[in-house]
Amino acid sequence: MIPPDLFVLFIIGPVVAAALLAAFHKWDIFQRGVSLAASLGLWGLSVAGLLSLLQEGQQGIVVLRMGNWAAPYGIILVADVLSMTMVVLTMTIGVAVVVFSLRTVEQAHQEHFYYPLFFILIMGVNGAFLTGDLFNLFVFFEILLIASFALLALGSQPGQLRETVKYVVINLIASTFFLISLSVLYRTMGTLNMADLAYKVQTTSGELDPTLTILALVFLFVFGTKAAIFPLYFWLPGPYFQPSAGLSAFFGGILTKVGVYAIFRTFTLIFRHDPALTHELLLILAVLTMLLGVFGALSQMDMKRILSYHIISQIGYLILGIGLFTPQALAGALFYMVPYVLAKSSLFLIAGVVQEATGTTHLKAVGGLQSHSIPLSILFLLAALSLAGIPPLAGFFSKFIVLQAGMEIGRYGYVGIGLLGGLLTLASMLKIWNGVFWGEETGDRRPVSLWPLFPGIVLLVFFIVGIGLFPGILYSVAQTAASQVSDPHVYIAAVLGPKE
Amino acid sequence: MSGFLIISLVLLPLLGSLVSWPERWRQRLAPAYSLVPILQLLIVISLWATVQAGERIQCSWPWAPSLGLYVSFSLDGLSWLFTGLISGVGVFVFIYAAFYMADDPTLSRLYRFLLLFNAAMMGVVLADNLILLLVFWELTSVSSFLLIGFRSHRAAACEGAIKAFGLTAIGGLVMLFGILAVYAEHGTFELSVLLANSTSISTAVGLCFLVGAFTKSAQFPFHIWLPSAMEAPTPVSAYLHAATMVKAGLYLIARLTPLFADDPTWSATVTSVGTVTLVWGGVLACKQVDLKALLANSTVSQLGLIVLLLGLQTEIALFAAILHILNHAAFKGALFLTAGTVEHEAGTRDLRRLGGLRPLMPTLTLAATLASLSMAGLPPLGGFLSKELFYEGVLEADLLQRGNVSSVSYLLEDTFPLLTTLAVTASCLTFLYSFIFFHGTFFAPASHPPEQPHASSHAEHHSTLGLIAPIVVLSGLAVLFGLVPSLAEALVTPAFRVIHGEPPQLHLALWHGLTPALGLSALTIVLGGGAFLVRQRFLQAAREYQAAYSFNRVYIDGLTGFTHLFHWTRALYMTGSVTDYIRYLLVALIVGLSIPLWSFFEEMALQADIVRPEYHELGLAGLMAVAGIMCCRTHSRIVLVLSLGLVGSLMAIFFVLFSAPDLALTQVLVEAVSLVLFLLVLRYFSMIRPLPYTPRTRLFNIGISVGTGLMVSLLLFAANVGPSIPSVIPSYYLANSHLLAGGYNVVNVILVDFRGFDTMGEITVFSVAVLGVLALVELGVRGQQSLGTMFMVSFPSPILQAFARLTLHLMLVFALYLLLRGHNAPGGGFIAGVLTAVAMTFQMMAFHAESFSHEMPWKPLQVVAVGLLLAAGTGLGSILIGYPFLTSAIGHYNFPLFGDVELVTAMGFDIGVYLVVVGTSLGIIRAIAED
């Protein structure tokens, strides 16, 4: 439907937008107008891109050679259904966040590059999803890191800076190990092109396996730190609590998912030589992540903090899907990703509305918001119940598919823990509901009109409800994606051409 | 057509709940929502003929077939009975609510929630697909949650709502597990398919379904949510928590009974849970002083009774169970509404303050008394019929037990008629609390006469009819079921046939002759009556005992306990200290890597020859290590910066040694710029405070550092000695750098062409850096603390200035030269950019930064933007002519002075890089220096 070469726009488009926005950073209308137009345009383009891939079914992979150099010599962008779904998801959240930001970003922040930095963040995310080259992935991780660093620090409040520095330090450690492991990988495999790596793993007869296992663990350490899985998630709750709601929504929804995506990609494409070891490890880490995250959430008394801990818990579910490593489980992991990101981002945005309306998100300081804004409470309830996996919202089907995949291969214990995690998630969502929307009306009410804040949230919740009512659509997308990733030959053939 | 009718049973209330009246007429139009249950009732009645003929109506639409999901409904006798209950009781409750909350502005919302519930409940009893059933099942929980917490300003209401939701959600999740297990085994979610094939389902899965049913139907020990749910407005309690929703669990058990007919565990579990609930609920009900609390606990008990009967699985028991579902809906609905009317009129529901209402409300007294007596099981009311059958059922079970052919032999090991004894006990309790209810409210002398009814007498009068009529009708039904047993029998039979498979042999009648069951009924009346007369003696003690221990207490303590536990564990490891987090991270890394590395070196025969390092290399590495250790140990930031610089410079020497002049050049220039930056910001910082580590912590830290270093070294070592695949990439680059990319400097060609896309990313990183620094400085440092005119970076020395003036243009020209030749010889945009930045910085240091920036025609930020756009634009240009992003074109041009010059479009990209680097470096330095 759209020419393949245009797929590069998901990466370059945001850069162009960011450059323009940075150049005219004091021009208010320009900032808002260009941001909105760019995010909407990229969103539309990404949907068109995904649709054109889906038309081809399992063969729907677009390969772009940057600079027209063939793999493995040049950098390759690979847009398969998995990565394009992630791009569409990113752009959806991006649109919602931009729309929300139009009303909430302080003038000073807007003049100090809020929008350009945000678009570069989008560029980094999209690049990480689309690249077919591990070193290039590193570059995009750096872009992500520095853009998120600048955004987290925007405003320069002391507490904010303190948390931001922690974030950067931990992430730099991970990046350093990323670089080290890339060099080791290159030394061992002679390439960093993912398809080429996959091909070599497939064609060597096991003598590289011990080295690959070590590398798999280092990469798991690197990506796991980015994705915030156990025992590497400690950095996450602090910084994600600090920034403005729009950013929290994007960070909470999308950023950790880049790490998850990287695990998803590498552990389905490259490190699949010894699933009995690597993927079992993923399963164990998954349930620990799931439980400890939700335990942390239950111990909190602030809406945004509860949500931050939930990010961790839900990551566990995603990793569970990857660890189960059957086509259905992989489809389930992708299916899990979409509603969860939508719900998480909309909840953060709702926390932002609560903040706008009352000046705080602490459960003890607010109450009785239901009578203040019924639309807001409906939106919250839909998003929160979806996150908790209550049918017929989208989140239910996420859980359903992952757990069904677990049942099929007899992993009852993991399924049971998954269900327990869902129950505890519900408990913490009800805790927010009880603290914020029910109870005595407490806290100040700022005389602000909340309506302008809703469009972005409504957009996200619309998809949550829609996916819940028609789960088959997303599932068929997820199945196509799973059919591509569960057989690496599809990916290899698309990038390197048919091999003997 | 019938399919359409079934789906409209669900869709009508769903659509109804979406209707919102305009604000102005909302209160007046709200009662119109009652049309929905009325319509439903008509539909249900119209389906009677079909159902009586024993037919099933089914309809199905694909939902997500690849997941086994279909929107499939089916209506048979069992479903029909429940749809009748939902719509029938619904009609009364809806009408009642209009009067009960006539002046309450939230009435409209109440109706909409009730309709949502109605839709969900219809869905539960009609769904054929198990997942669809679960969807509606959870939807009843959600709507019940919203309705219990309807008065959301009351803490008790909110807690009750959460408790109910939480406990039923446990059941829902366990049920989901069971459903998934069924699908994993049988590949279908369709109940009708499972039932038609009499699929054998394992007991464990059956128990999963039972947990779901027990939570929903408030069976022991999940019963605690139901009394707390009484915070809901009374019409809600009557509808959800007496007549319909709590019966969803019963429906499920009844529905699945044919699948587990031969499963002794199923039967024993159901029977024993039902029995315990029956007795325990009765005990609790007697103790209550609040009318609704009494009714709630009595509901628990009565639900237990039905569950018990369903567990017995005999013909009589099953028939009694369904009959009692019907009876219970009638009398309990009436009694709940009575409690509502009493509260509405008298202003209290407290039995200790109520009494003597008979002369004030004669009609209500009659209706409520009849309903209570039906509950107590007195003839000739409906409750008597089911009580008789209940006794027959348990007697039969106990007798069967003696004949050793029982399905409940699990439960009862000896020949003592335990079940019968418990049944009689429970019935006495029922008798007792039924009498307490109506006697205490209407007949007892008003011990604490209520103050004049709170509602004004004027308003009271017009509402009275509406608040009493539904009760009269429901009580009338309770009477009617007793007086005309054939009516009840006709309603129950189709449902019975579904569960039991064949039509019932027995016939309902008030008089069966002198049967043992009749004897037990008489015994119940005698014992219950006696207990009622002496109730004062023990009730007081029982009420006091309640506070000491209850399952509710366990729930609350458990909840607080877990919250504390979670809080404690989190506080334990989430210390907020980044040092701790780094420790966790590195320990995880060491633990994670040591095992595979160990096995690697154990198994791996070292294949490749180890290249022995040269002495000067070792020396350089040693120096680097020393510099590194100095970084960690020094307390002076100057020393720290210099040591870091030393590490960088030594690195540059390594690059030279390994023949990478571009890298060396870059490294040196970057070190220079970083040094300047460090020096600029250094004065913001104080001395490094030595951290107050104990020797043990210090040792631990050193251990972690050494461990991490060891891991990395071993990793690199493993890569070098282990098997590897030689790379074909470097030779390709060397061979094609000029041939295909038009450049002799392979490094530069890699940067701007082969892997130009990486560079595109890196210059983005650069650009972000300048944006970030500007934002940090302008919003933060400048705003928060006045630093004075810190550096001004001016050494106004004439010699320096003269020198600077001289070198500026020289350096700029050299930078340009490096930029242009970069494609073929060491140089390139990046190096040239850094060099330009160094030159400019030099100028700034020699002259005032401000005066210098006036001379600059462009702001650094704009330079960065232009650079980015140029780089991106060069790349995008190739798309326009049909090549992928960043494809480079080569052309030869003849320039005067330069001769034949080979130009590649990658050059445009490189100039973009150059601009970004210049702009970024200058922007950052200026932002800090100008401050």
Side-chain angles (χ1 to χ4, degrees):
Chain A
M1 206 190 302
I2 64 171
D5 280 333
L6 288 189
F7 277 73
V8 80
L9 283 181
F10 301 121
I11 301 169
I12 299 303
V15 180
V16 173
L20 291 172
L21 286 165
F24 302 101
H25 58 113
K26 302 236 157 141
W27 186 3
D28 184 50
I29 293 291
F30 185 82
Q31 292 288 311
R32 294 158 185 249
V34 169
S35 303
L36 190 62
S39 57
L40 282 172
L42 286 168
W43 183 45
L45 193 66
S46 65
V47 172
L50 180 60
L51 289 177
S52 62
L53 290 188
L54 288 171
Q55 281 174 345
E56 309 281 320
Q58 198 190 18
Q59 301 308 316
I61 299 181
V62 164
V63 175
L64 275 83
R65 306 159 155 198
M66 293 295 95
N68 211 12
W69 299 107
Y73 309 111
I75 294 168
I76 304 293
L77 297 187
V78 183
D80 64 355
V81 177
L82 170 65
S83 48
M84 270 318 287
T85 309
M86 297 305 297
V87 170
V88 171
L89 193 57
T90 307
M91 291 322 304
T92 311
I93 306 298
V95 168
V97 169
V98 166
V99 169
F100 189 83
S101 301
L102 294 180
R103 289 282 171 168
T104 51
V105 170
E106 290 172 32
Q107 190 66 22
H109 290 187
Q110 183 179 313
E111 284 178 7
H112 286 91
F113 321 116
Y114 177 87
Y115 289 115
L117 290 171
F118 184 69
F119 274 98
I120 288 184
L121 195 61
I122 288 184
M123 174 228 189
V125 173
N126 285 347
F129 291 148
L130 289 172
T131 187
D133 184 286
L134 276 180
F135 186 82
N136 197 234
L137 181 66
F138 171 79
V139 172
F140 283 115
F141 269 29
E142 292 309 290
I143 295 172
L144 275 182
L145 178 59
I146 191 152
S148 55
F149 177 32
L151 282 168
L152 282 174
L154 204 59
S156 306
Q157 298 303 312
Q160 194 182 4
L161 291 180
R162 194 177 55 233
E163 292 301 332
T164 307
V165 167
K166 288 181 200 169
Y167 171 83
V168 171
V169 168
I170 300 281
N171 273 289
L172 276 180
I173 292 177
S175 294
T176 309
F177 279 97
F178 195 175
L179 208 51
I180 293 172
S181 45
L182 281 176
S183 64
V184 174
L185 188 64
Y186 185 67
R187 174 71 182 84
T188 308
M189 307 298 289
T191 181
L192 290 176
N193 179 284
M194 299 206 265
D196 201 24
L197 281 168
Y199 176 70
K200 287 182 171 155
V201 172
Q202 297 283 312
T203 47
T204 50
S205 50
E207 71 268 15
L208 290 170
D209 284 2
T211 322
L212 277 174
T213 304
I214 300 172
L215 281 166
L217 288 175
V218 190
F219 275 103
L220 184 59
F221 172 80
V222 172
F223 296 146
T225 307
K226 305 270 178 194
I229 66 173
F230 178 86
L232 311 163
Y233 62 72
F234 308 97
W235 57 269
L236 183 137
Y240 277 32
F241 171 71
Q242 298 287 346
S244 66
L247 286 183
S248 291
F250 194 82
F251 279 49
I254 296 290
L255 273 202
T256 45
K257 263 46 89 193
V258 181
V260 176
Y261 167 83
I263 295 177
F264 201 139
R265 182 61 82 194
T266 48
F267 280 77
T268 53
L269 188 62
I270 301 166
F271 300 120
R272 53 187 295 149
H273 57 285
D274 190 8
L277 179 86
T278 49
H279 290 68
E280 283 304 304
L281 181 66
L282 283 179
L283 286 178
I284 293 165
L285 296 181
V287 290
L288 286 171
T289 310
M290 199 187 291
L291 288 181
L292 286 168
V294 77
F295 289 170
L298 279 169
S299 74
Q300 290 294 346
M301 281 307 289
D302 186 288
M303 184 170 175
K304 280 176 85 175
R305 282 192 198 276
I306 294 178
L307 293 175
S308 301
Y309 273 94
H310 262 296
I311 299 171
I312 301 167
S313 174
Q314 310 288 334
I315 300 276
Y317 262 106
L318 294 168
I319 303 293
L320 187 70
I322 302 169
L324 290 170
F325 203 48
T326 63
Q328 210 210 337
L330 295 175
L334 182 59
F335 193 108
Y336 197 96
M337 183 92 79
V338 177
Y340 148 51
V341 169
L342 293 171
K344 177 61 65 183
S345 297
S346 47
L347 286 173
F348 268 113
L349 291 181
I350 289 167
V353 181
V354 172
Q355 176 104 34
E356 289 284 320
T358 65
T360 175
T361 52
H362 198 277
L363 297 189
K364 292 231 165 104
V366 277
L369 261 192
Q370 187 196 29
S371 50
H372 188 68
S373 175
I374 289 178
L376 184 68
S377 43
I378 293 174
L379 290 174
F380 173 83
L381 210 55
L382 288 172
L385 292 181
S386 174
L387 196 72
I390 298 292
L393 296 160
F396 167 75
F397 294 100
S398 314
K399 199 167 68 179
F400 168 71
I401 297 166
V402 174
L403 298 184
Q404 201 180 38
M407 290 303 266
E408 263 175 12
I409 52 171
R411 299 308 194 97
Y412 304 117
Y414 292 113
V415 175
I417 296 175
L419 288 170
L420 178 65
L423 180 70
L424 296 175
T425 307
L426 177 65
S428 55
M429 288 299 124
L430 294 184
K431 187 173 172 178
I432 298 180
W433 172 259
N434 193 25
V436 174
F437 293 93
W438 275 356
E440 295 280 339
E441 284 195 44
T442 49
D444 352 325
R445 292 286 186 277
R446 294 186 180 170
V448 287
S449 170
L450 299 180
W451 284 106
L453 301 174
F454 286 159
I457 307 173
V458 170
L459 175 78
L460 300 182
V461 172
F462 171 79
F463 284 116
I464 292 175
V465 174
I467 293 170
L469 294 178
F470 305 101
I473 300 172
L474 180 58
Y475 185 63
S476 73
V477 176
Q479 269 184 319
T480 315
S483 78
Q484 291 178 343
V485 289
S486 50
D487 181 8
H489 293 105
V490 180
Y491 189 98
I492 295 170
V495 176
L496 301 178
K499 292 264 179 181
E500 65 288 344
Chain B
M1 181 59 196
S2 321
F4 168 74
L5 285 180
I6 294 180
I7 200 129
S8 63
L9 283 178
V10 182
L11 280 184
L12 267 178
L14 210 55
L15 296 175
S17 72
L18 295 178
V19 172
S20 170
W21 304 116
E23 188 101 41
R24 249 174 87 192
W25 302 305
R26 188 167 291 166
Q27 198 65 16
R28 247 176 297 162
L29 283 178
Y33 288 113
S34 315
L35 284 174
V36 172
I38 293 173
L39 273 173
Q40 284 178 316
L41 191 60
L42 293 175
I43 295 174
V44 171
I45 291 170
S46 76
L47 292 167
W48 165 243
T50 326
V51 166
Q52 206 192 16
E55 287 173 27
R56 271 165 69 84
I57 306 170
Q58 262 191 297
C59 52
S60 179
W61 293 270
W63 184 13
S66 47
L67 288 166
L69 301 184
Y70 293 87
V71 180
S72 52
F73 293 104
S74 97
L75 182 127
D76 56 13
L78 186 63
S79 308
W80 182 84
L81 181 75
F82 276 89
T83 54
L85 274 184
I86 299 161
S87 53
V89 179
V91 170
F92 297 118
V93 168
F94 272 64
I95 294 173
Y96 180 87
F99 294 92
Y100 184 75
M101 291 175 59
D103 306 319
D104 194 326
T106 55
L107 175 64
S108 174
R109 196 194 305 169
L110 182 86
Y111 272 127
R112 293 171 71 180
F113 286 173
L114 280 173
L115 283 175
L116 185 67
F117 163 75
N118 177 308
M121 193 64 207
M122 282 287 180
V124 168
V125 299
L126 289 172
D128 192 39
N129 187 290
L130 279 170
I131 291 295
L132 189 66
L133 188 148
L134 188 75
V135 167
F136 288 119
W137 181 276
E138 298 286 16
L139 208 55
T140 60
S141 295
V142 174
S143 48
S144 154
F145 169 74
L146 292 172
L147 284 163
I148 297 171
F150 195 73
R151 309 243 183 263
S152 63
H153 55 278
R154 294 166 55 158
C158 303
E159 279 159 24
I162 288 175
K163 191 197 285 183
F165 199 177
L167 286 174
T168 48
I170 294 178
L173 288 173
V174 177
M175 212 164 104
L176 174 60
F177 189 90
I179 293 173
L180 290 174
V182 168
Y183 189 79
E185 208 175 330
H186 304 289
T188 180
F189 288 124
E190 300 300 311
L191 266 171
S192 51
V193 175
L194 293 169
L195 288 164
N197 304 338
S198 325
T199 322
S200 75
I201 293 172
S202 69
T203 310
V205 175
L207 291 180
C208 290
F209 283 101
L210 282 182
V211 173
F214 290 160
T215 52
K216 202 74 172 176
S217 288
Q219 295 297 293
F220 186 90
F222 304 112
H223 63 282
I224 52 169
W225 70 261
L226 190 53
S228 311
M230 291 302 129
E231 283 291 331
T234 302
V236 173
S237 309
Y239 193 33
L240 273 72
H241 306 125
T244 57
M245 189 184 86
V246 288
K247 303 225 166 90
L250 307 179
Y251 167 80
L252 187 72
I253 299 177
R255 176 59 80 199
L256 297 176
T257 294
L259 290 177
F260 295 95
D262 307 319
D263 189 332
T265 318
W266 165 282
S267 160
T269 313
V270 176
T271 312
S272 43
V273 169
T275 312
V276 174
T277 313
L278 167 66
V279 178
W280 186 242
V283 172
L284 290 178
C286 292
K287 297 195 304 193
Q288 303 304 322
V289 291
D290 178 77
L291 286 183
K292 281 180 79 176
L294 185 151
L295 291 176
N297 283 299
S298 103
T299 306
V300 170
S301 169
Q302 301 280 320
L303 292 169
L305 184 148
I306 301 168
V307 168
L308 186 167
L309 287 168
L310 287 172
L312 291 177
Q313 295 187 339
T314 58
E315 183 188 343
I316 297 173
L318 290 177
F319 197 88
I322 301 165
L323 181 63
H324 202 65
I325 289 175
L326 196 62
N327 275 323
H328 181 256
F331 67 67
K332 193 51 70 66
L335 290 177
F336 262 113
L337 295 184
T338 304
T341 307
V342 167
E343 188 187 14
H344 196 269
E345 300 296 311
T348 180
R349 303 189 311 237
D350 193 327
L351 273 170
R352 289 166 302 191
R353 300 178 59 201
L354 283 168
L357 286 181
R358 182 174 60 94
L360 298 173
M361 311 172 172
T363 325
L364 183 65
T365 309
L366 179 66
T369 307
L370 284 173
S372 306
L373 293 177
S374 178
M375 177 158 78
L378 290 182
L381 304 164
F384 173 71
L385 288 177
S386 42
K387 179 68 51 91
E388 286 279 279
L389 277 182
F390 165 57
Y391 278 145
E392 277 185 38
V394 292
L395 275 172
E396 188 191 28
D398 274 345
L399 291 174
L400 277 176
Q401 152 67 19
R402 290 200 181 135
N404 270 336
V405 283
S406 164
S407 58
V408 290
S409 52
Y410 260 56
L411 178 69
L412 305 161
E413 291 298 333
D414 52 76
T415 49
F416 179 71
L418 178 64
L419 204 53
T420 313
T421 316
L422 289 173
V424 174
T425 315
S427 300
C428 292
L429 290 168
T430 311
F431 187 94
L432 180 60
Y433 64 67
S434 305
F435 271 66
I436 291 175
F437 181 86
F438 76 85
H439 179 267
T441 311
F442 299 105
F443 294 96
S447 47
H448 302 280
E451 305 90 53
Q452 196 56 34
H454 77 127
S456 75
S457 53
H458 188 71
E460 183 187 353
H461 209 76
H462 93 96
S463 66
T464 311
L465 180 68
L467 287 176
I468 291 178
I471 303 171
V472 172
V473 179
L474 282 170
S475 302
L477 280 175
V479 177
L480 195 65
F481 290 147
L483 292 177
V484 192
S486 55
L487 172 66
E489 191 181 313
L491 292 174
V492 168
T493 303
F496 174 81
R497 210 157 44 193
V498 172
I499 311 175
H500 198 247
E502 45 207 68
Q505 303 298 316
L506 58 96
H507 287 286
L508 282 181
L510 276 172
W511 179 251
H512 278 284
L514 288 171
T515 56
L518 188 66
L520 290 178
S521 285
L523 184 66
T524 309
I525 294 172
V526 172
L527 289 176
F532 179 69
L533 293 176
V534 297
R535 67 186 183 282
Q536 302 299 354
R537 303 258 172 92
F538 57 88
L539 275 186
Q540 199 54 39
R543 278 172 194 161
E544 274 160 20
Y545 180 69
Q546 182 190 17
Y549 180 76
S550 70
F551 279 91
N552 208 19
R553 202 66 253 152
V554 176
Y555 165 81
I556 293 166
D557 289 348
L559 221 55
T560 8
F562 272 117
T563 312
H564 283 297
L565 180 71
F566 294 154
H567 198 87
W568 180 74
T569 46
R570 181 183 55 82
L572 204 64
Y573 63 82
M574 296 300 293
T575 57
S577 143
V578 72
T579 322
D580 279 338
Y581 298 164
I582 294 174
R583 287 190 189 121
Y584 301 152
L585 228 58
L586 295 181
V587 168
L589 181 82
I590 294 169
V591 171
L593 276 189
S594 54
I595 300 162
L597 275 172
W598 178 267
S599 65
F600 176 88
F601 283 108
E602 218 176 29
E603 289 168 18
M604 189 61 54
L606 302 187
Q607 293 180 349
D609 294 329
I610 304 163
V611 183
R612 195 168 290 281
E614 303 286 333
Y615 287 109
H616 62 272
E617 287 168 4
L618 281 177
L620 283 172
L623 264 178
M624 276 172 100
V626 170
I629 291 172
M630 231 151 74
C631 289
C632 301
R633 293 201 53 87
T634 181
H635 293 171
S636 150
R637 289 192 196 268
I638 298 272
V639 177
L640 177 66
V641 168
L642 291 176
S643 315
L644 273 180
L646 184 58
V647 175
S649 314
L650 291 168
M651 198 68 209
I653 299 181
F654 266 113
F655 285 137
V656 173
L657 287 177
F658 293 126
S659 351
D662 290 79
L663 294 188
L665 199 52
T666 313
Q667 179 78 24
V668 168
L669 284 169
V670 166
E671 285 302 329
V673 175
S674 326
L675 195 66
V676 171
L677 275 175
F678 274 130
L679 292 174
L680 283 177
V681 297
L682 212 52
R683 53 184 293 160
Y684 291 113
F685 293 97
S686 53
M687 289 285 285
I688 301 171
R689 280 189 305 277
L691 291 162
Y693 286 142
T694 60
R696 187 192 284 184
T697 323
R698 198 177 287 273
L699 206 63
F700 182 60
N701 287 348
I702 291 174
I704 292 179
S705 314
V706 171
T708 312
L710 197 66
M711 286 304 132
V712 174
S713 313
L714 286 177
L715 182 66
L716 295 173
F717 193 60
N720 277 309
V721 299
S724 61
I725 303 172
S727 179
V728 294
I729 296 172
S731 50
Y732 178 89
Y733 284 168
L734 287 174
N736 295 309
S737 174
H738 183 243
L739 198 63
L740 297 177
Y744 289 104
N745 178 0
V746 181
V747 175
N748 186 266
V749 172
I750 292 175
L751 283 177
V752 299
D753 201 342
F754 287 128
R755 296 191 66 96
F757 200 59
D758 278 340
T759 310
M760 185 73 224
E762 292 301 349
I763 59 173
T764 313
V765 173
F766 254 73
S767 318
V768 176
V770 70
L771 300 185
V773 169
L774 282 174
L776 262 178
V777 169
E778 290 179 9
L779 286 177
V781 186
R782 189 173 289 170
Q784 281 159 18
Q785 53 200 108
S786 168
L787 299 158
T789 46
M790 65 153 258
F791 234 84
M792 242 346 131
V793 212
S794 52
F795 305 98
S797 130
I799 300 173
L800 188 66
Q801 289 183 349
F803 187 62
R805 245 185 255 285
L806 195 68
T807 51
L808 173 67
H809 298 104
L810 261 179
M811 283 173 90
L812 287 183
V813 168
F814 185 58
L816 192 67
Y817 169 70
L818 282 181
L819 171 67
L820 291 179
R821 76 164 201 171
H823 219 51
N824 297 315
F830 188 85
I831 296 173
V834 181
L835 188 65
T836 310
V838 169
M840 301 272 197
T841 312
F842 194 36
Q843 296 300 303
M844 273 196 265
M845 292 169 99
F847 304 95
H848 278 283
E850 274 164 40
S851 64
F852 177 74
S853 44
H854 284 308
E855 285 169 29
M856 282 195 8
W858 287 61
K859 287 184 181 167
L861 198 60
Q862 285 158 337
V863 175
V864 172
V866 168
L868 261 186
L869 287 174
L870 184 63
T874 317
L876 289 174
S878 55
I879 293 186
L880 291 181
I881 52 170
Y883 284 97
F885 187 72
L886 275 182
T887 306
S888 183
I890 310 170
H892 288 262
Y893 302 93
N894 212 337
F895 283 106
L897 279 177
F898 288 91
D900 180 50
V901 172
E902 190 180 56
L903 277 186
V904 289
T905 51
M907 181 63 95
F909 182 77
D910 215 12
I911 294 172
V913 174
Y914 170 79
L915 290 176
V916 169
V917 174
V918 171
T920 303
S921 319
L922 282 182
I924 293 175
I925 291 171
R926 255 184 52 189
I928 298 171
E930 268 184 21
D931 202 55

